[in-house]
Amino acid sequence: MKKLSTIAAGLVAATAFSASVQASTLDDVQSRDTLRCGVSDGLPGFSVTDSDGNWVGLDVDTCKAVAAAVLGDAEKVEFVSLTAVERFTALQSGEVDMLSRNTTWTTTRDASLGINFTGTNYYDGQGFLVSTDLGVTSATELDGAAVCVASGTTTELNLADYFEAQGMGFEPVLYDTSDQTVAGFEAGRCDVLTSDTSQLAALRIQLSDPEGAMILPEIISKEPLGPAVRQGDDQWFNIVKWALFLQVNAEEYGVSSSNVDAMMDSEDPNVSRIVGTSGDLGSLLGLPSDWGYQIISQVGNYAEMFERNVGPDTPLELERGTNALWTDGGIMYAPPVR
């Protein structure tokens, strides 16, 4: 009997713990009528404030897509600027409802931090930015270099791995923020700046002489960047995940902010599920039936999000490359909306 009582007590405790973990983020966001989204402390193309003080960028649009789905208004977002060191604590503690901050999906982060990655909104890889005056054309020529790098990142770990594998030495120069790393590079405190190549492109245009720096050809890592949420709330996990998946599917089926109203009359069942005129997908997520329509009409599909923030016609001038749809030679692929 004593053994059975102990088991029963354990089950009660486990149930109580599960109930506390399963507290609804959706209810909190809807009650607050605002989504709290953690973004970077300033990275052009991904999350930065414009001249009017408004947050813009690819990661910012990912937040807005979730707000559009959940609250019907993409502008109902409180953006919380976080450094690389602060980001996971802010998510774990509930300071933010989701993290959308050029964060790499890794085993350690997925399994030990109490967070779930909800997908990849940008496939990247780590590279090196050097001054053209340094006279090098390959990362294999960087033996003994001083390298500016953000601390507490996968970038710092990849840097050590690469130099060890190449049998080269280096001197790390650590900073807390991307602004500090680029300032250190420009001040000559290091020979090289390393980060994700998209970030290097963003940091390069902030230099006083962008033409005096170049990105070396080597890509030394895989960096799947994407939003994350706390573990223990499957409904919220599904909502954030499917907001991104819907944007990718919308591009695949040609649904955009410019034609979504016309697409409401589409007879293609794939399109009608995306815009919410058929199926019961909204209720499965705890959302209105027009959640997909709200995302596309207010934020756009994945291509629109990419092109206006980081594409060839932006200062970053990034091509789709790996981030092209799977039907166009890339690896951007999402499960079907059905």
Side-chain angles (χ1 to χ4, degrees):
M1 290 294 292
K2 183 176 181 181
K3 184 176 180 181
L4 289 175
S5 298
T6 302
I7 293 172
L11 289 173
V12 170
T15 302
F17 175 76
S18 176
S20 67
V21 169
Q22 292 291 339
S24 173
T25 307
L26 175 61
D27 288 345
D28 290 344
V29 172
Q30 290 178 330
S31 175
R32 192 191 310 128
D33 202 31
T34 303
L35 171 71
R36 291 176 181 162
C37 194
V39 294
S40 77
D41 47 340
L43 180 62
F46 289 85
S47 51
V48 69
T49 52
D50 63 16
S51 58
D52 296 322
N54 299 312
W55 282 94
V56 295
L58 184 71
D59 287 337
V60 166
D61 281 350
T62 295
C63 303
K64 289 184 174 183
V66 175
V70 172
L71 301 172
D73 188 342
E75 299 305 315
K76 289 185 175 181
V77 186
E78 177 187 342
F79 293 101
V80 181
S81 175
L82 301 169
T83 67
V85 175
E86 297 168 334
R87 56 185 164 174
F88 297 122
T89 302
L91 181 59
Q92 293 161 341
S93 67
E95 180 183 349
V96 295
D97 305 306
M98 61 178 287
L99 187 67
S100 184
R101 191 205 174 282
N102 58 296
T103 298
T104 303
W105 188 348
T106 71
T107 308
T108 301
R109 290 173 174 176
D110 214 11
S112 68
L113 297 182
I115 65 176
N116 281 327
F117 285 86
T118 63
T120 300
N121 68 353
Y122 192 91
Y123 289 98
D124 211 341
Q126 186 173 332
F128 298 96
L129 180 73
V130 300
S131 168
T132 54
D133 292 339
L134 195 61
V136 302
T137 58
S138 170
T140 59
E141 303 172 57
L142 297 177
D143 189 18
V147 185
C148 285
V149 59
S151 62
T153 62
T154 56
T155 308
E156 184 182 0
L157 302 176
N158 294 335
L159 174 65
D161 287 348
Y162 178 76
F163 272 79
E164 181 179 356
Q166 296 295 319
M168 300 190 302
F170 73 101
E171 177 190 346
V173 182
L174 302 176
Y175 293 99
D176 289 333
T177 70
S178 58
D179 284 345
Q180 290 172 353
T181 60
V182 75
F185 175 75
E186 192 154 36
R189 298 190 182 96
C190 54
D191 306 302
V192 186
L193 192 160
T194 186
S195 187
D196 299 340
T197 53
S198 64
Q199 186 166 356
L200 293 179
L203 297 177
R204 178 176 172 272
I205 63 175
Q206 297 181 59
L207 298 173
S208 57
D209 178 22
E211 298 304 315
M214 61 181 287
I215 298 174
L216 298 177
E218 287 83 4
I219 303 297
I220 69 168
S221 71
K222 295 182 294 184
E223 305 294 331
L225 309 176
V229 297
R230 287 181 297 281
Q231 289 180 2
D233 188 339
D234 289 345
Q235 181 187 39
W236 185 245
F237 175 53
N238 286 335
I239 288 170
V240 176
K241 176 170 54 179
W242 280 99
L244 174 60
F245 288 166
L246 183 126
Q247 289 182 293
V248 176
N249 276 284
E251 179 187 357
E252 184 176 340
Y253 287 99
V255 185
S256 68
S257 60
S258 62
N259 68 13
V260 67
D261 287 323
M263 288 291 194
M264 298 295 283
D265 297 323
S266 174
E267 296 182 0
D268 184 335
N270 294 293
V271 171
S272 63
R273 286 192 293 267
I274 288 171
V275 300
T277 54
S278 72
D280 194 27
L281 304 182
S283 65
L284 296 178
L285 295 169
L287 300 177
S289 60
D290 68 345
W291 66 282
Y293 171 83
Q294 297 298 338
I295 292 174
I296 302 306
S297 64
Q298 297 184 50
V299 184
N301 63 29
Y302 181 79
E304 292 177 275
M305 191 165 68
F306 185 100
E307 295 299 331
R308 71 168 162 262
N309 291 303
V310 300
D313 294 329
T314 70
L316 270 66
E317 300 180 338
L318 297 176
E319 299 293 337
R320 284 291 291 268
T322 304
N323 291 288
L325 289 181
W326 66 286
T327 52
D328 296 327
I331 62 173
M332 187 57 70
Y333 183 103
V337 177
R338 63 176 312 117

